[in-house]
Amino acid sequence: MDKSNAGFSKTGLRRLRDLLTRHVESGKIPGLVALVSRGEQTHVEAIGTMRHDGGAPMRRDTIFRLASTSKPVTMAAAMALLDECRLRLDDPIDQWLPEMADRQVLKRAEGPLDDTVPARRPITVRDVLTSTFGLGIDLELMGSPIMTAVLERSNYDPDAGPAPEPDEWMCRLGELPLSYQPGQRWQYDLASDLLGVLVARAAGRPFETILRERVLDPLGMKDTGFHVPAGKIDRLPPVYFPEATGGFKVWDEAEDGRWSRPPAFQSGGGGLVSTVDDYHAYLRMLLNHGTHEDKRILSRPAVELMTTNRLTPEQNAARTALARDNVHLSFGQGQHGGWGFGMAVRAYRSDYAPLGQFGWDGGTGTTAYADPHHQLVGILLTQVGLSTPDPARLIHDFWTTLYQAIED
């Protein structure tokens, strides 16, 4: 423990550690690092090992692949450009992403790719920030021509090899019609990758450069980026996708793996690596209305835009359906009722967390949220992907137990 545990009860923290230990000792989670904080009080647990068959123990500075928990962080680069009026919410994106100009839209989202009508209006910056620009992962469309084409061209398949350079990626995307009219429907993931290209082109420099200058370096997030340098690679565990039979399939090794060198495509949707302390600095900045150690990183209005619901009920219907009606795929994750910019927002009480909590989860077994009501941060990082319910159950149990540890 770093400081006194005021803000959490000793019994509650002990129960949290016992809960995390139990998941690791089950053999289904090789290791984890968790950080919880309230106000100035911080508590960290590092349990288990880097590999499923033993090896080095997990440490506080272990580096993890964030997967979709990248989204809340990469969004901050766009918010910095909004603060500077380099981007405007209702500007069409055509001037920076001409590949997405003059869109055709499918008459029926599940229909053939050549049965289209013109888009009613251009895609705007707002559409990208809210994941409503017209393309993305949509479980209701799985197996449809557009979903098959999106998956082929956007490189979501772990075995598809490295993604292309951003310009080539945009050309591939620009060949597709939209599945829905701009602003009509929330769809997952693709908008965050598109955002990275938008930020880079609007700023005239690589996405990671902008993210590092505006966000990572001012916050001291020295272990966060799109790859792990050779001198730190021993701190990166492999990622496993567990099998239903109980085995662990390696998806990515550290040495010579996907994150051992700078990528051609800096994925805002799922490309970052980080540590619990780095991510804690980021969420604390958001709780502090955009400031960190008396430095302003983002404006207060920018943070408020990010962390409050930005979706209409009609836009949000697909997001709720993804979590509620596809439990066999989502394991119940995502029932928040709202979505801000790049992150979920609690808009109704669906579990132990109160309204206003914001953050997101990742497919490599990661979760990170902040709660303004309790001034609480919780971060749990593992190396186990969501191919079985076990990591999702760990995430659920972590939050359920953490909220009981609060000492009012």
Side-chain angles (χ1 to χ4, degrees), residues 267-404:
S267 169
L272 287 180
V273 297
S274 192
T275 63
V276 291
D277 282 297
D278 276 13
Y279 213 108
H280 184 224
Y282 180 70
L283 289 180
R284 274 286 150 208
M285 178 271 291
L286 296 183
L287 284 180
N288 291 333
H289 312 292
T291 62
H292 172 75
E293 296 178 350
D294 298 324
K295 292 181 292 186
R296 178 145 303 276
I297 311 300
L298 297 174
S299 70
R300 178 187 284 260
V303 173
E304 290 170 349
L305 275 172
M306 294 171 70
T307 60
T308 53
N309 180 43
R310 305 260 63 84
L311 299 185
T312 66
E314 293 77 17
Q315 290 170 332
N316 195 54
R319 217 182 85 71
T320 301
L322 184 152
R324 185 191 60 216
D325 299 338
N326 295 281
V327 172
H328 62 296
L329 295 174
S330 70
F331 307 118
Q333 298 294 98
Q335 297 196 45
H336 307 90
W339 186 263
F341 287 166
M343 66 187 78
V345 180
R346 299 275 173 178
Y348 69 91
R349 191 72 184 252
S350 60
D351 55 27
Y352 281 47
L355 275 63
Q357 185 207 46
F358 56 82
W360 196 225
D361 309 291
T364 48
T366 58
T367 184
Y369 287 81
D371 171 357
H373 178 70
H374 294 104
Q375 285 296 299
L376 177 146
V377 168
I379 302 162
L380 172 66
L381 305 179
T382 81
Q383 79 276 58
V384 183
L386 291 169
S387 54
T388 68
D390 297 306
R393 288 169 176 159
L394 165 62
I395 290 169
H396 171 276
D397 295 353
F398 168 73
W399 287 108
T400 299
T401 308
L402 174 57
Y403 270 103
Q404 295 174 70

Side-chain angles (χ1 to χ4, degrees), residues 186-265:
W186 183 91
Q187 292 178 292
Y188 188 50
D189 202 48
L190 194 57
S192 296
D193 283 341
L194 188 67
L195 179 77
V197 185
L198 173 62
V199 167
R201 290 189 180 176
R205 287 183 294 161
F207 180 42
E208 185 172 17
T209 301
I210 302 304
L211 184 64
R212 192 160 298 287
E213 288 182 358
R214 300 296 201 284
V215 183
L216 303 182
D217 285 351
L219 289 173
M221 297 173 68
K222 61 184 184 302
D223 291 323
T224 302
F226 290 103
H227 83 288
V228 181
K232 299 180 180 180
I233 202 73
D234 62 313
R235 292 162 53 193
L236 181 72
V239 164
Y240 300 107
F241 275 77
E243 299 167 321
T245 56
F248 287 92
K249 178 183 179 181
V250 175
W251 181 64
D252 186 59
E253 282 284 4
E255 297 281 352
D256 297 319
R258 298 168 192 266
W259 277 265
S260 65
R261 62 188 69 88
F265 186 85

